[in-house]
Amino acid sequence: MSHSKQGESIKGETFDEVIARASVSRRMVLRGGLGASLTAVFGSSVLAACSDDSTLVHTPPGSDAGPDVQVDAGAGDAGPNYSIQFKPIARNVLDQVTVPEGYTAEVMFSAGDAVVAGAVAYTGTFLTSAETEKIAGGGHDGMKLFELPGVDPNKGGLLAVNHEAADFKILMSGTYDASTATPEQKKIALSAVGVSVIEIERKNDGKWAVKAGSPYNKRYTGNTVYKVRGPAASVVGETVIGTLNNCSSGMTPWGTYLTCEETRNNYLDPTQPDNGYGWVVEIDPRGELADLPVKRTALGRFDHENSAYLLGGDNSLAFYLGDDSTPGCIYKFVPSGKFDPQNRAANANLLDSGTLYVAKFNADGTGQWLELVQGKNGLVAGATDPGDETQGPKPDTTVNFNTQADVLINTQAAARVAGATLMDRPEWITVAPDKSVYCTLSNNSGRAVTDKANPRTKNMHGHIAKWRETGDAPTALTFTWEVFLLAGDPSLASESLTGNINGDTFSSPDGIHVDPQGRLWVETDMSLPGNSGVEGKNMTDVFGNNGLYNVDPTTKKSQRFLVGPTGCEITGITHTPDLRTFFVNIQHPTGTWPSSVQGNSLPPRSSTIVIRRTDGQPVGA
């Protein structure tokens, strides 16, 4: 990676990494550049040399929590206060987005909006497949914000947004049935999943918008052809048509986007082979790296939720991955090579070779990473798969692991054979600035057999696990762990339902993110109105609509920051480097939002919203 000129951004970095590996002046960031003092990056270390009139608030090396926050500071001015000070809001069941006093939440990007230059947006009339291929898909989910050279990263950049599922009400009349759908209907449905990459900018009036006609605006859909690389490519094939069920996501330190497929088949077009799905797909939002987009088979095939990485001082890497199955396991992929911060292109194939591990959580608070390598840990021909024993003993089945491709295509079975811990639906994983790692475990109402890491039978409300690698090393084979939090509510008056939340209670934690100031944010995905576990009380009676919560990592105090509209899931969270703008996704609303605030009569649509304080200070503070 070459050094940038004064006033420019580092080529290829993400917003969440752009400052974390370089020493820069606050004033340069505010002017739109990344400083005149960018130096060679040593691992993930942040060189904190600053001018006398500035104070660098920096992210400790190695996390993907986000960039160091840098602001103008005059003599005697320590800069913004990032401690949580917002006034928590009460739960509600309103058909609107509710945020604290002094905040705004505005719709920026909805299903059906134009993406590709020349696209015709959905305005109430159904479009052809050629037209829907160019507009925003549905089911907005995970997303990441990326920087652009020469653009103030607090005023513009590239936003990559996952589309987990189609918002069918804007695509066609009636219901979609893959078994009877016409080729045109299949193309339309498949166009509504995948990823949108959009250039966004903050206008002079302070409002954020998609930059129409930008050459970066692009769709990756269920109709796109994706290359396949890694050890299983010889079995899967050189290419696969489509990506879908793109749940959450991650990024790499070289500035690419990792979209995660939470399905192991193509349910929108079952004629496609199952082995083509259930992978992590790497995309370059800038469109510069060759051989992308590509499905990276070395990271395993399962119901991928998201990814998060830990970067070591020697530039070694670990990518954490959760399998959102009931139950599923937690994985770690360690590339054979190391990250090269000087040469972006040198990292292009880093995810094709390495070791995939699965976590075993021991009862004494220690853990091990078990290799999922053919010939090790029982992964041989004629292996015995014990199945899902969380609901009691199951009949054994025989699985043949003759090659590493067999292990990767059948990752879930391989994890069980190796002796991994079956967790209660691993959702998002996030790496904090202090290198602690958090994972949300959404729920598992069918659990009958407990263990220390999954301590409740009929776990209807979920919990959050936390661990730390031995020596904070990405390549560590052992770790220590704890159950950070048990979700639920005291009013439910049952040990398996009450939880231990300090403050505003919630259920079904899903999205989780630690920002560069170490502030922990949790998003919920309750099925609404839902079953709370107590007769006569549904989920909305107890918790209200789904929301976004701040949870203090030390005191574990929970404070409700946002409540979503009727029927929605709250997901997808990213922000500008100065933390003054947050982007959050509202998925599958069922009422009249966002039309009720947009002044139209269109059906409810998944949307990306922009959250800011009216006084321009950092969100949450």
Side-chain angles (χ1 to χ4, degrees), residues 601-613:
S601 57
L602 299 180
R605 297 177 292 156
S606 300
S607 301
T608 301
I609 63 171
V610 181
I611 302 170
R612 289 178 58 84
R613 277 177 54 164

Side-chain angles (χ1 to χ4, degrees), residues 318-478:
F319 288 85
Y320 299 101
L321 309 156
D323 177 8
D324 187 8
S325 296
T326 310
C329 293
I330 294 171
Y331 300 85
K332 176 172 81 168
F333 176 75
V334 177
S336 300
K338 294 183 178 181
F339 167 57
D340 184 348
Q342 305 297 332
N343 183 357
R344 188 183 188 220
N347 305 297
N349 299 312
L350 201 57
L351 298 181
D352 284 340
S353 178
T355 303
L356 184 65
Y357 299 88
V358 67
K360 180 179 181 181
F361 291 79
N362 299 321
D364 62 358
T366 64
Q368 300 158 277
W369 292 107
L370 309 174
E371 285 185 83
L372 295 183
V373 175
Q374 196 276 333
K376 297 184 178 181
N377 293 318
L379 302 179
V380 296
T384 299
D385 178 4
D388 172 17
E389 294 184 315
T390 68
Q391 298 181 21
K394 294 291 189 296
D396 293 341
T397 58
T398 300
V399 184
N400 291 316
F401 297 108
N402 295 309
T403 66
Q404 186 61 19
D406 291 337
V407 173
L408 296 171
I409 289 172
N410 301 291
T411 305
Q412 293 172 324
R416 293 190 295 265
V417 170
T421 303
L422 300 181
M423 308 293 285
D424 288 344
R425 285 190 62 197
E427 298 273 7
W428 289 33
I429 299 173
T430 185
V431 179
D434 68 356
K435 299 190 180 181
S436 297
V437 188
Y438 296 84
C439 178
T440 50
L441 300 151
S442 192
N443 51 56
N444 181 3
S445 59
R447 180 174 284 275
V449 180
T450 64
D451 54 54
K452 290 294 186 180
N454 303 275
R456 297 190 289 189
T457 59
K458 297 182 180 179
N459 183 13
M460 302 191 70
H461 300 298
H463 57 290
I464 299 174
K466 176 183 179 182
W467 69 88
R468 193 156 187 165
E469 300 281 12
T470 300
D472 292 332
T475 56
L477 298 180
T478 58

Side-chain angles (χ1 to χ4, degrees), residues 2 378 465:
S2 60

Side-chain angles (χ1 to χ4, degrees), residues 54-77:
S54 64
T55 303
L56 179 63
V57 183
H58 85 80
T59 301
S63 77
D64 67 354
D68 296 335
V69 179
Q70 314 212 6
V71 295
D72 273 329
D77 183 359

Side-chain angles (χ1 to χ4, degrees), residues 194-210:
V195 175
S196 289
V197 175
I198 50 176
E199 183 176 357
I200 59 174
E201 60 182 348
R202 183 156 64 92
K203 303 286 190 178
N204 292 335
D205 61 2
K207 296 182 181 296
W208 285 79
V210 177

Side-chain angles (χ1 to χ4, degrees), residues 210-272:
V210 177
K211 190 172 182 179
S214 168
Y216 294 105
N217 293 353
K218 190 170 183 179
R219 284 297 320 280
Y220 300 85
T221 76
N223 297 305
T224 304
V225 176
Y226 300 86
K227 296 177 182 178
V228 182
R229 297 292 182 265
S234 60
V235 177
V236 176
E238 287 298 306
T239 60
V240 167
I241 298 175
T243 184
L244 71 160
N245 236 66
N246 305 82
C247 196
S248 190
S249 55
M251 75 279 197
T252 66
W254 53 93
T256 56
Y257 185 65
L258 301 179
T259 181
C260 299
E261 298 179 336
E262 195 190 357
T263 182
R264 286 169 290 122
N265 60 28
N266 190 330
Y267 54 86
L268 293 175
D269 183 4
T271 65
Q272 298 297 324

